[in-house]
Amino acid sequence: MPHVIERAKSSRAVCKSCQEPIAQGELRFGEEVPNAFSSRPGYRWHHLACAADARPAKLREALATYADELPERELLLHRTERALGELPPVEFPFAERSPRASVCAR
């Protein structure tokens, strides 16, 4: 499974979105990333609320596979849907129109 939701085993992890520590026992979202030092993947940890805003598609995927009780599931799903609606189009996220485009088209 590429992304996980689990309870924090210790309080050493820091949320990659807000840079605040994640308390021991708190539910957190792990975004799978390649590990340069091992064949096993690593994880970037986020608070669930931070992941809903910063990584909405990946969190929605993890929420679909998370079977345990999650008291704020509906709130998180609402936040992910709102965040997905605000994202720019995926086609060319860094493209912009040249100011000379109208000159070249003639």
Side-chain angles (χ1 to χ4, degrees):
M1 177 164 53
H3 310 299
V4 297
I5 296 175
E6 66 176 28
R7 295 212 176 268
K9 296 176 179 81
S10 69
S11 59
R12 294 180 300 170
V14 174
C15 176
K16 296 300 180 195
S17 299
C18 70
Q19 304 304 318
E20 296 292 323
I22 301 172
Q24 182 176 3
E26 183 180 353
L27 283 172
R28 62 186 180 174
F29 169 70
E31 177 184 14
E32 185 180 61
V33 293
N35 187 344
F37 303 106
S38 172
S39 60
R40 295 182 350 177
Y43 290 96
R44 287 189 193 138
W45 298 108
H46 303 268
H47 293 110
L48 290 178
C50 294
D53 296 330
R55 306 282 193 265
K58 294 177 181 181
L59 179 64
R60 184 173 56 182
E61 185 180 308
L63 284 171
T65 60
Y66 186 70
D68 291 345
E69 179 66 28
L70 186 59
E72 57 206 27
R73 184 182 297 267
E74 293 303 319
L75 176 64
L76 289 170
L77 286 172
H78 176 69
R79 285 180 77 163
T80 58
E81 293 302 321
R82 185 180 50 135
L84 285 171
E86 296 172 355
L87 293 177
V90 186
E91 299 163 2
F92 299 105
F94 301 108
E96 58 186 35
R97 186 168 298 279
S98 168
R100 295 184 57 190
S102 61
V103 175
C104 295
R106 291 182 204 172

